[in-house]
Amino acid sequence: MKQKAPQISPNKLYASLLKKKNESDQQQKIVKSPVIQGNVYINSLRNNQGQLKVDAKKSRPTSGKDLKDISTVLLKKTHARQNSKIIETKENSQNLTQSALQLLQKIKAERPDNKIGQIQTSKEILQYHQQLIQKQYQKLLDLSKQTEHNQLQQQQQQQQQKQKLFKGPRSISNPDISTLQLCITKAHAKSIPGMLYTGQTKINQDSYKLIQKFGTKENDWYLQVSDGHGTNGHQVAQFVQEILPAYIEQEVMEAPYYYDRDKTINNIFKQSFLKTNEDLLSSGIDVTYSGATTVVVIAFENILYCANIGDSRAIIGRYDTKLQVVELSKDHKPDCFLEQARIIQRGGRVQAYSDEDGNPIGPARVWKLDEDVPGLAMSRSFGDYVASQVGVICEPEIIKHQLLPSDKFLVVASDGIWEFLSNEWVIETVNEYYKKGDAIGACNKLTQAAKEAWQREDEVIDDITVILAFFK
């Protein structure tokens, strides 16, 4: 069972409240009274308390109406006090909120890096975000560069450590390998005239050019072999031997090829070959049915560039577990697909000599469509005016080659060498002399072997020219 709360009668309630009021008033009087010393203060307090009791008895309400009025007044006063406290609390809360907002606004305005409050338009907002993006991108870019730089330094350090481990302590017998560069260290050339079917020695229509320190550097070389043909072939070959190297060297000296050397060298070769041919046509030499093939090799230390027109040839002997051939040029024969297509397109025809029964004899040759001239056995050459009208050109085919440690020597020669001697036989023969460092002996051996091959295989002997260069 729940206990009921004790009920307080109105009389007791009124008496209690009145007593508290009188006590409060009396305390105020005592505080304000000048007599607040010793027993005087205590006695007056006792007298006042007794008087309060008497006054309370006299002023008690006697009827129910009076009690009701008093209760109503007390309740109103209580509600008024509570409402005033609520109002004060709300006012204080509003004041605190306003103060906090003002403080935040002041902090934001004082912050130097806070630009948001100053932005008024969407355009400014866009610019602000773009600036933020640019700053972040720049930070990432700087970080990426720093990372790449650190990685490069680390790779260089690792490479240096590997070189130290590989090379061991440096000495005269163990130089710094990274400073060594493969290049031509020795070269020699030889040319011998051919023989007519009558057994007489013919005019040598081959010519060659061998230049060390080509340009400005000690290890830059120029090697050229030209093979003349026709009545004035020897004059054409000699003209090319004098003019072409001069054009190329002049252009190499003037051109800033270190920016894009491959493209520059290609342009130099093409322009120099074209100028040489133009000068040849206006030189007074009769080139109606005369001309010359030419192969050129320029060595810029360990980089080789080969430019070729015709059937002279340049190869490299390489030894890497076994001896092998690296071709630096291609023979331009009339029956090669692209060469033949160009000749036919320009009104020529490609056909070999034929016997009485129509059987082909010998190599394919270039002819005019309606005449049996000129009968040229190559599709590119200097001079050869009639052949140039039906697709024979002087534009060189250019090949670049970077020397490897396994590359041992270079052979540049006219078709007097290549007609009956294979590439494989040539490098095997030269390699024996390379081991001994004997370039002169190798040249003598090749020219003699080619001459003997011609004597076995044909009634005539062609002119024979060869240049040998050893790499170290």
Side-chain angles (χ1 to χ4, degrees), residues 213-226:
K213 198 177 179 180
F214 182 76
T216 58
K217 293 185 178 181
E218 186 70 25
N219 294 325
D220 292 351
W221 290 73
Y222 181 93
L223 303 87
Q224 173 183 319
V225 171
S226 297

Side-chain angles (χ1 to χ4, degrees), residues 332-368:
H332 296 131
K333 300 293 186 180
D335 54 352
C336 293
F337 179 77
L338 294 178
E339 303 296 306
Q340 184 174 359
R342 183 184 68 248
I343 292 168
I344 293 174
Q345 183 182 14
R346 296 189 182 182
R349 58 186 172 95
V350 177
Q351 186 178 346
Y353 282 127
S354 57
D355 58 16
E356 297 177 354
D357 298 329
N359 299 318
I361 302 174
R365 298 176 182 272
V366 179
W367 310 89
K368 294 182 69 174

Side-chain angles (χ1 to χ4, degrees), residues 38 40 49 59 148 156 163 168 182 252 258 269 325 406 413:
V40 177
Q49 289 178 350
S59 61
E148 291 179 358
Q156 290 176 349
Q163 289 180 355
L182 199 64
V252 168
Y258 43 82
F269 272 135
V325 177
S406 55

